[in-house]
Amino acid sequence: MAMEIDSAVLPLPAIRASTQATILCYNCGAPIDGTQAAGALCSDCLKLTVDITAGIERDGILYMCRDCDRWLSPPTSYVVATLESRQLLALCLRKLRGLNKSRIIDASFIWTEPHSRRIKLKITVQQEAFQGTILQQTFDVEFVQQYRQCPDCQKSYTHNTWRAVVQVRQKVPHKRTFLYLEQLILKQGAHKETINIKEVQNGIDFYFSQRNHAEKFIDFLTSVSPVRTKKSQELISMDIHTSSASYKFSYACELVPVCKDDLVALPPKLAKTLGNISPLTLCYRIGTAVNLLDPNTLQISDLSTPIYWRTPFAPLADVQSLVEFVTMDIEPLGPQKGRFVLAEATVARASDLGVNDTTYNIRTHLGAVLHAGDSAMGYHLTGSQYNNDNFEAIQASKQYGGTIPDVILVKKHYAARRKHGGGKSRNWKLKRMAREESEMKPRKQDAEREAVDYEQFLRDLEADEDLREGLKLYRDGDAAPKRGMEVDGEEDDDEEDEGLEIPMEQLIDEMEDVGLEDEDVEG
């Protein structure tokens, strides 16, 4: 390759007083000062005859992984760098042999066609040619781009290459907790380091290529949910000569089997340690601890994860045991705590209307949302049989035996407006995680149960503003045409479902460029 020669005369390290010519340049015969000339050459001949870039490589090879777009940084690491970036320029300069003997003055990219798979650099260096004489020269370097798959991508395309697995489990008959946990994971991007996500019975398995990625994911789970973790490891291989071993790590994460809106019967001794709260409580929220509420007094208490696992217990009843009640009359009593207002209500079971006149006078924490004629979901304790030691201890207690109510209301009930094949469509949607699907199709009853759980989870998000605070809800562009085609006869449904509408300012727009790309493909 041709070497470019700078036209500017390079300054000497020190400025000396001009003197008369004493000798002639042996190459061209020009008169020069012999006291300052290097090798009896003038400055022009010195630039033409001396090449300070002779020991620097003029070509090289760059390896890139086409799956993750990372570049190989010898010997084994891969770095992220875009084309014509500072990171890629530094990587190219490190690969040139002999460049460390010269001082780099400037380095820049030379434009090449993107499909040529060539990267060219223009580099300017300085080096001392003779004693007291410094030369500056510019030259070009060309790199050839070649593809090589990185070890991380090799593992992702090969089965059984995971190094750590996090097995998240919860022993409950529904999937609502995992649906909520999935949205928290998507919002924080905690699943980016996973190489596979597999749904199993009672939980989800997250596979990672490195142990520290799994531990980081466990830290995230601990920060958003009450969970306990057990660690185990399996020896895969061992080198007796270097005393190095390879392990696979398994982390079993068990979530507390108490969910939102569950009826909880606390052990009497534990209830006394939690601020002397009534043993029969409702779980109104799940965070890093289990938040309990006494609907008769509005007393609130937090059950931390270590205390729960010290004396574990199962909930007395879950959301599958909820019964619909109709509010005949309700009157607030005055006490208020946050969004809860204590009230006295007269309710009747919806299935008993027109059959008998049985009503129940109860206290409820839903005084702010319930009105006469509204429906509510609650637990019907009168005549119910529970096989629970804690509940039997409450019934036998002199202090709490006479305070067990007939009905405990949990939440307001809205009429079902979205039926299969008709009804109004939501103006929002949720994103779901990509997970491995089993080769065998799920049973029909299992698929129906999952659809019911997902629909109930969406309705809970619509009804509970606190529940959707930490989630990302997106505007559904496909719902607008459907809503425009609805008939005018559904105005009554709008009045019934007024509390289920989510304000548009709480919804997030998806990337507009994605929508434009989809339109181009369809066109």
Side-chain angles (χ1 to χ4, degrees):
M1 298 180 63
M3 180 181 65
E4 297 184 10
I5 301 176
D6 293 348
S7 59
V9 179
L10 297 179
L12 294 176
I15 301 177
R16 301 178 183 177
S18 59
T19 58
Q20 296 182 355
T22 58
I23 62 173
L24 299 178
C25 175
Y26 78 87
N27 189 27
C28 64
I32 58 176
D33 183 7
T35 60
Q36 300 181 14
L41 290 173
C42 63
S43 59
D44 294 335
C45 295
L46 188 64
K47 297 175 184 178
L48 293 174
T49 57
V50 178
D51 185 9
I52 61 175
T53 64
I56 303 176
E57 292 183 345
R58 302 300 178 92
D59 53 13
I61 299 176
L62 291 178
Y63 293 100
M64 175 185 178
C65 178
R66 69 172 69 198
D67 296 319
C68 60
D69 295 337
R70 294 189 300 173
W71 302 83
L72 174 62
S73 179
T76 57
S77 62
Y78 280 78
V79 297
V80 178
T82 58
L83 292 177
E84 299 190 3
S85 63
R86 296 179 59 183
Q87 293 81 4
L88 184 59
L89 181 62
L91 178 63
C92 296
L93 294 178
R94 284 198 301 267
K95 289 183 66 70
L96 292 178
R97 295 181 180 178
L99 192 60
N100 56 349
K101 298 179 181 179
S102 303
R103 179 185 178 186
I104 302 176
I105 301 301
D106 186 27
S108 60
F109 287 96
I110 300 176
W111 186 85
T112 56
E113 291 287 347
H115 61 271
S116 65
R117 292 167 58 181
R118 297 292 188 273
I119 296 177
K120 292 184 178 181
L121 299 180
K122 183 178 181 181
I123 304 175
T124 303
V125 296
Q126 281 185 359
Q127 187 175 346
E128 187 177 12
F130 299 99
Q131 185 177 4
T133 303
I134 298 177
L135 290 182
Q136 177 176 313
Q137 294 179 352
T138 302
F139 62 99
D140 297 342
V141 179
E142 180 178 339
F143 290 92
V144 179
Q145 178 183 344
Q146 296 185 3
Y147 293 116
R148 176 184 293 182
Q149 197 174 39
C150 66
D152 294 337
C153 293
Q154 291 176 2
K155 292 180 180 179
S156 64
Y157 286 100
T158 308
H159 295 289
N160 303 323
T161 57
W162 53 271
R163 287 293 180 183
V165 58
V166 179
Q167 301 171 338
V168 186
R169 299 289 184 270
Q170 187 184 36
K171 298 178 182 178
V172 292
H174 55 80
K175 297 282 188 180
R176 291 169 55 205
T177 303
F178 288 103
L179 292 173
Y180 179 70
L181 185 61
E182 177 186 13
Q183 298 304 316
L184 292 178
I185 293 174
L186 287 173
K187 181 180 180 180
Q188 302 297 332
H191 65 299
K192 292 182 179 180
E193 304 293 343
T194 59
I195 60 176
N196 192 15
I197 301 175
K198 187 175 182 181
E199 187 173 0
V200 296
Q201 187 177 9
N202 296 331
I204 304 176
D205 291 344
F206 297 88
Y207 295 90
F208 299 88
S209 59
Q210 298 181 21
R211 175 186 174 185
N212 58 340
H213 294 164
E215 293 177 347
K216 181 180 178 182
F217 183 76
I218 293 174
D219 293 339
F220 167 77
L221 290 180
T222 307
S223 65
V224 298
S225 61
V227 61
R228 69 171 178 178
T229 305
K230 292 183 179 179
K231 173 188 172 184
S232 62
Q233 59 186 22
E234 179 185 0
L235 179 63
I236 303 301
S237 61
M238 182 174 182
D239 189 352
I240 60 174
H241 301 288
T242 60
S243 298
S244 59
S246 176
Y247 291 92
K248 281 189 174 182
F249 300 91
S250 298
Y251 299 89
C253 299
E254 184 177 359
L255 297 174
V256 170
V258 180
C259 303
K260 183 177 178 293
D261 298 336
D262 282 358
L263 181 62
V264 178
L266 298 173
K269 292 183 179 180
L270 179 61
K272 292 181 180 180
T273 61
L274 298 177
N276 201 21
I277 193 174
S278 174
L280 196 61
T281 58
L282 280 176
C283 175
Y284 71 94
R285 184 174 58 193
I286 293 289
T288 55
V290 180
N291 305 122
L292 303 175
L293 168 70
D294 182 6
N296 293 323
T297 62
L298 297 186
Q299 184 179 355
I300 294 176
S301 182
D302 297 338
L303 178 61
S304 63
T305 307
I307 295 178
Y308 174 83
W309 291 114
R310 200 177 303 159
T311 56
F313 56 87
L316 184 63
D318 55 24
V319 291
Q320 295 182 349
S321 304
L322 290 175
V323 180
E324 183 179 355
F325 292 89
V326 178
T327 306
M328 313 301 293
D329 186 21
I330 186 170
E331 181 180 355
L333 297 179
Q336 183 176 356
K337 186 169 291 186
R339 58 189 176 96
F340 302 128
V341 176
L342 188 63
E344 284 187 351
T346 302
V347 298
R349 197 164 56 173
S351 59
D352 291 343
L353 296 180
V355 179
N356 55 53
D357 298 332
T358 304
T359 59
Y360 306 96
N361 296 322
I362 61 170
R363 283 190 173 189
T364 179
H365 62 288
L366 302 177
V369 295
L370 283 184
H371 304 86
D374 289 345
S375 297
M377 303 300 292
Y379 295 105
H380 192 200
L381 301 182
T382 301
S384 300
Q385 298 293 330
Y386 296 105
N387 186 14
N388 189 285
D389 295 337
N390 295 332
F391 186 67
E392 293 176 359
I394 296 173
Q395 289 178 322
S397 173
K398 295 181 180 179
Q399 182 180 0
Y400 302 109
T403 62
I404 299 177
D406 297 326
V407 175
I408 295 180
L409 298 183
V410 177
K411 58 184 177 180
K412 185 177 179 180
H413 176 63
Y414 298 92
R417 62 171 177 174
R418 299 176 181 89
K419 300 180 181 179
H420 296 287
K424 293 178 62 177
S425 58
R426 290 184 174 90
N427 61 341
W428 59 276
K429 62 181 179 179
L430 296 175
K431 289 186 177 181
R432 303 296 302 273
M433 284 191 306
R435 62 191 68 186
E436 179 182 349
E437 297 182 357
S438 176
E439 297 180 357
M440 298 180 61
K441 294 183 177 180
R443 295 183 303 175
K444 183 178 179 180
Q445 54 268 34
D446 294 339
E448 293 177 352
R449 189 183 303 112
E450 291 182 1
V452 170
D453 290 341
Y454 187 67
E455 176 64 24
Q456 185 60 43
F457 174 67
L458 297 181
R459 294 181 66 84
D460 290 343
L461 290 179
E462 290 175 323
D464 193 347
E465 185 176 356
D466 295 337
L467 185 63
R468 61 175 183 264
E469 276 185 355
L471 307 183
K472 285 186 177 181
L473 280 65
Y474 298 89
R475 290 191 179 98
D476 190 1
D478 299 334
K482 297 179 182 178
R483 295 173 67 90
M485 296 174 60
E486 292 170 357
V487 296
D488 297 335
E490 295 182 350
E491 295 180 357
D492 296 337
D493 294 341
D494 295 341
E495 296 178 358
E496 294 179 358
D497 298 333
E498 184 178 356
L500 290 180
E501 291 292 340
I502 297 180
M504 293 296 293
E505 58 267 14
Q506 296 183 10
L507 304 180
I508 303 174
D509 280 327
E510 290 189 285
M511 297 174 58
E512 296 180 359
D513 54 348
V514 176
L516 294 175
E517 291 176 1
D518 294 340
E519 293 178 1
D520 295 339
V521 173
E522 292 177 359

